[in-house]
Amino acid sequence: MTKWGMVIDLDKCTGCQACTTACAMENNTLPGENWQDVLFYHEGTYPTAKLTWLPRPCMQCENPSCVTVCPTRATYKDDEAGGIVFVDWNKCIGCKYCMIACPYGVRFYADEQPVVEPDVRDVFPGEGQLWAPPYQNPESDARRGIGIQPKGVVSKCTFCYHKVSQAPEGVADLDEDNPETKEYVPACVRTCPPKARYFGDLDNPDSEVNRLIADKRGVRLKDHTGNRPQVYYLGSGADVPAYDPPSDS
Amino acid sequence: MNNGNILKGPLGTGLLIVSAAAAIAAFGYAMLDLMAVGHRSFNTSSQMPWGQPIATYLYFALASSGLGMIAALPLVFGFKQFYPLAKRSIYLAFIILISGMAVLAMELGHVFRMLWVIPFNLQIQSAMFWMGVFYVADLLFLLWKFQKMEGREWDSRTSRQIGIASFLAVLLASGNLALIFGMMSMRPFWFDGLMPIYFYLTAVASGLAAVVFFTYLAYGFRRAAMPAAMRAMFEGPLPKLFAAVLGGTVLFIAVRAITGLYTNNPEIHLVWRDFLFASPVYQASLWLGIVLPFAIMLMAGLRGNPAVQVLVSMAVFAGLFAERYFFVVGGQVVPLFRGTWEWGLIEYTPSLTEWALTIMGSAMLFALYAAGERFLNLSAMPDDFLAANGSEATA
């Protein structure tokens, strides 16, 4: 059975945020409600300070803590869909327990104060939906949390399931450089200028993602939580520095 | 004839009207905001999903559980000197839980959807599913038990069985509520297997504060107006129990604070250092709302004084509300990933709408309480107990 996975090479990532922008455009997320984000940190002090960054999509965990806490089964892991974790917007009651239980902070409740001003919900007011952006993903699927997010529910990255699900059966990798698969590649992977992202089948031993994880010692974020992400990181900087308040650094 | 209970007269009606008006006004304000701009009217965010409304619910739900446990002293464990509190405790437990649930309902994204998706999807792995099951059971048993007391059926076999079932429901509900937080290993400030014990202790402390305050309120803050058995309880066992429970609460907070400050884990250490102890409000609530009341209740000469008891109950009421608030928010203030969106601790101050929900719940509690005092006999006790302890307690 297909198990979709993503590999992000931090030695190639330039932190350009093209992935963040592509994701927001593809999935009609509100500004700042970034299902896919690149987090910037600075470490050390002058003259040895350095700037570093970490791209962060939903990890689509093998053992997702968000799924078991959901009292309504609105959040579920769909093994038939490559192991992607979805939110069924028809079942979500907006209790936000999944947001508490996610160790990666990749769940969003759009019915909140705007992260970025001006509030685009007022600029593009929607009738019967939270807002009405000029472009809307035509392939909405509330049962999988795809489309314009309704009020009062939680949303998250779907690995662009509306694209990935159209891929030919049994394909090992979805590569934006391959004309046969490029249309099915998640938006963040397809748009990545330095090609720092790879997407493929973790259950297929011949996939490029498996080769990279093995050859370049792929690691998973916060592996101690036991969530076992389906997103792997390569290169230096994959260790997330512990929280350090500005006053102490 | 009101037999000393001042709320059976015009004062009770006045309190009922004023509280109901406050509850309706607060509900109206919050509802208008929610209908106009949704949860944009809250100051919560995707990084701080649970704010003051959740803390308010937690406070009310645990106060209700505490009152259920206090009622179990005479009804389950046979400590008959607590009979004068039993019926009022059961009633207060019921209405505080209702008020808490009303606040929670306004916080959720889709409260009516909850009514069918939870029973039809049976996610038994979720502690929140069990919270619904146990608190609904708790509510029903409280109602059933109260109905038995109304029928003066205190010691029948059925009444005793309902009392035991109610007590078990209280233990399961509040213990499970603790696990909603305590099982979250990704939120180290909350992650604690002993969280149910902490919740039980603080639940009883807030329950005692509630029943002491509301009983005094019913009798115009005059102990002399109370029935003899009730007076005896306020002079003897109750303040000692209050002191013991406050002592347990202080001990638990101290242990959590010491381990929290000692650890290197920033998600625990910094919460205690930079959020809790750095806040004058937390400091005031801890020292004036929990530690000082404990010290006062330790003094034999003071703990029996009616004015002291009322002041201590009010201080504990406020102190434990702040404790719940800082507990809920404290588990979320350290960002899961530092960087871009959050460089320091996540900042959160409740919005006016969130305050309106807290006021709504509190006013609702006062209104339902005034109605209970006005139309029901909350000081009722079993006939044989009355015969043995003075018979004037019929108010």
Side-chain angles (χ1 to χ4, degrees):
Chain A
M1 193 179 289
T2 304
K3 184 166 84 178
W4 294 121
M6 189 181 287
V7 170
I8 303 175
D9 190 339
L10 296 173
D11 284 342
K12 291 168 78 178
C13 174
T14 61
C16 69
Q17 292 277 27
C19 49
T20 306
T21 311
C23 172
M25 295 297 290
E26 182 71 31
N27 294 295
N28 302 128
T29 57
L30 293 170
E33 302 273 355
N34 296 332
W35 289 1
Q36 147 61 47
D37 208 343
V38 181
L39 304 176
F40 286 83
Y41 315 101
H42 53 77
E43 288 185 280
T45 50
Y46 177 82
T48 53
K50 69 169 181 176
L51 181 67
T52 185
W53 50 89
L54 181 84
R56 182 193 59 175
C58 170
M59 303 291 147
Q60 317 291 358
C61 305
E62 290 173 15
N63 188 21
S65 46
C66 55
V67 167
T68 47
V69 301
C70 176
T72 68
R73 293 186 196 270
T75 278
Y76 62 103
K77 184 169 177 70
D78 193 343
D79 288 327
E80 299 291 321
I84 299 174
V85 176
F86 295 109
V87 181
D88 185 339
W89 285 338
N90 294 325
K91 285 186 182 175
C92 179
I93 57 171
C95 70
K96 302 178 277 286
Y97 196 14
C98 57
M99 298 167 72
I100 294 288
C102 171
Y104 302 100
V106 286
R107 295 181 150 259
F108 301 90
Y109 192 70
D111 192 10
E112 64 181 23
Q113 290 193 358
V115 180
V116 177
E117 297 280 4
D119 191 340
V120 291
R121 288 167 295 191
D122 295 333
V123 178
F124 301 108
E127 285 187 19
Q129 59 185 47
L130 197 61
W131 66 307
Y135 166 78
Q136 294 191 29
N137 182 355
E139 295 168 84
S140 65
D141 179 358
R143 215 177 62 76
R144 297 184 190 277
I146 298 169
I148 303 286
Q149 184 181 346
K151 269 189 180 175
V153 299
V154 172
S155 66
K156 63 178 285 298
C157 159
T158 65
F159 261 2
C160 283
Y161 179 73
H162 55 286
K163 290 157 75 78
V164 170
S165 57
Q166 307 299 316
E169 200 169 332
V171 66
D173 291 284
L174 297 181
D175 184 351
E176 69 272 25
D177 290 337
N178 180 349
E180 289 179 9
T181 60
K182 70 174 184 182
E183 292 301 327
Y184 318 122
V185 179
C188 59
V189 179
R190 186 169 180 186
T191 202
C192 181
K195 199 174 169 64
R197 287 176 185 247
Y198 303 84
F199 193 83
D201 182 1
L202 293 171
D203 264 2
N204 187 331
D206 298 326
S207 66
E208 178 70 359
V209 285
N210 270 331
R211 191 189 64 76
L212 286 166
I213 293 166
D215 287 356
K216 295 194 171 186
R217 296 179 191 166
V219 297
R220 306 191 276 203
L221 280 187
K222 297 191 180 184
D223 224 6
H224 64 276
T225 61
N227 276 30
R228 299 203 301 273
Q230 288 178 209
V231 174
Y232 288 77
Y233 290 87
L234 310 177
S236 58
D239 50 332
V240 182
Y243 177 80
D244 188 18
S247 57
D248 286 3
S249 24
Chain B
M1 186 174 145
N2 63 30
N3 280 8
N5 190 331
I6 61 163
L7 296 180
K8 291 235 170 272
L11 274 175
T13 311
L15 179 64
L16 173 59
I17 292 170
V18 170
S19 313
I24 291 166
F27 170 78
Y29 178 84
M31 202 63 201
L32 281 177
D33 267 357
L34 286 170
M35 286 170 70
V37 293
H39 285 86
R40 267 189 269 180
S41 54
F42 285 13
N43 280 347
T44 48
S45 67
S46 288
Q47 303 200 47
M48 172 71 68
W50 286 352
Q52 182 162 301
I54 294 292
T56 306
Y57 163 73
L58 182 64
Y59 179 66
F60 281 12
L62 286 178
S64 166
S65 297
L67 286 157
M69 291 180 211
I70 294 162
L73 289 174
L75 301 176
V76 177
F77 297 106
F79 292 100
K80 293 187 175 179
Q81 60 269 50
F82 286 95
Y83 263 131
L85 289 184
K87 197 173 175 188
R88 189 171 274 104
S89 293
I90 292 280
Y91 181 75
L92 283 170
F94 182 75
I95 62 171
I96 288 187
L97 191 52
I98 292 279
S99 305
M101 285 177 168
V103 174
L104 182 65
M106 301 283 280
E107 198 274 346
L108 292 175
H110 288 282
V111 63
F112 295 111
R113 181 181 291 173
M114 176 182 76
L115 301 176
W116 66 267
V117 287
I118 290 184
F120 280 107
N121 288 283
L122 287 178
Q123 174 49 299
I124 58 170
Q125 292 185 79
S126 170
M128 204 173 271
F129 168 83
W130 291 109
M131 180 183 84
V133 171
F134 293 143
Y135 268 114
V136 167
D138 183 15
L139 208 56
L140 293 176
F141 281 125
L142 286 172
L143 197 60
W144 198 357
K145 183 69 194 174
F146 190 79
Q147 182 241 337
K148 289 285 176 194
M149 290 171 158
E150 273 293 281
R152 306 177 74 82
E153 198 184 322
W154 289 77
D155 284 322
S156 71
R157 187 181 165 84
T158 319
S159 184
R160 281 186 176 280
Q161 285 171 343
I162 296 167
I164 293 168
S166 176
F167 177 62
L168 290 176
V170 160
L171 285 185
L172 289 170
S174 50
N176 175 73
L177 186 56
L179 294 181
I180 284 184
F181 298 93
M183 292 195 297
M184 295 295 101
S185 61
M186 63 298 290
R187 305 279 180 176
F189 180 69
W190 292 335
F191 185 53
D192 188 346
L194 294 180
M195 198 53 74
I197 312 296
Y198 170 62
F199 272 31
Y200 289 151
L201 267 173
T202 50
V204 177
S206 54
L208 277 171
V211 79
V212 167
F213 175 78
F214 282 116
T215 306
Y216 270 106
L217 179 59
Y219 290 94
F221 299 105
R222 291 189 311 122
R223 191 186 290 164
M226 292 179 187
M230 195 177 278
R231 279 201 307 272
M233 191 202 51
F234 274 106
E235 285 159 4
L238 186 117
K240 287 179 187 164
L241 175 67
F242 209 166
V245 171
L246 283 175
T249 303
V250 169
L251 180 69
F252 224 105
I253 292 174
V255 169
R256 271 176 61 76
I258 291 166
T259 52
L261 289 168
Y262 188 80
T263 179
N264 281 336
N265 186 336
E267 286 171 272
I268 308 172
H269 173 83
L270 289 173
V271 177
W272 282 102
R273 195 193 72 182
D274 291 359
F275 182 63
L276 298 179
F277 286 132
S279 162
V281 178
Y282 181 78
Q283 292 274 7
S285 69
L286 175 63
W287 298 107
L288 303 179
I290 297 172
V291 178
L292 183 63
F294 170 57
I296 290 172
M297 294 309 269
L298 277 183
M299 296 176 198
L302 280 179
R303 67 170 166 244
N305 184 305
V308 167
Q309 289 179 357
V310 172
L311 284 175
V312 160
S313 68
M314 290 167 73
V316 170
F317 227 80
L320 283 176
F321 180 79
E323 182 69 23
R324 302 285 183 240
Y325 172 86
F326 282 95
F327 174 79
V328 169
V329 176
Q332 306 164 73
V333 286
V334 176
L336 291 169
F337 289 87
R338 66 171 183 160
T340 305
W341 299 103
E342 291 296 342
W343 295 103
L345 294 180
I346 297 171
E347 289 185 4
Y348 167 76
T349 310
S351 68
L352 280 179
T353 312
E354 289 170 282
W355 271 110
L357 291 183
T358 300
I359 292 166
M360 179 195 84
S362 310
M364 198 173 152
L365 165 62
F366 270 84
L368 291 170
Y369 162 73
E373 291 288 1
R374 182 81 182 77
F375 301 111
L376 301 164
N377 179 9
L378 299 183
S379 296
M381 294 172 232
D383 292 334
D384 54 343
F385 177 76
L386 274 178
N389 292 277
S391 57
E392 78 269 43
T394 53

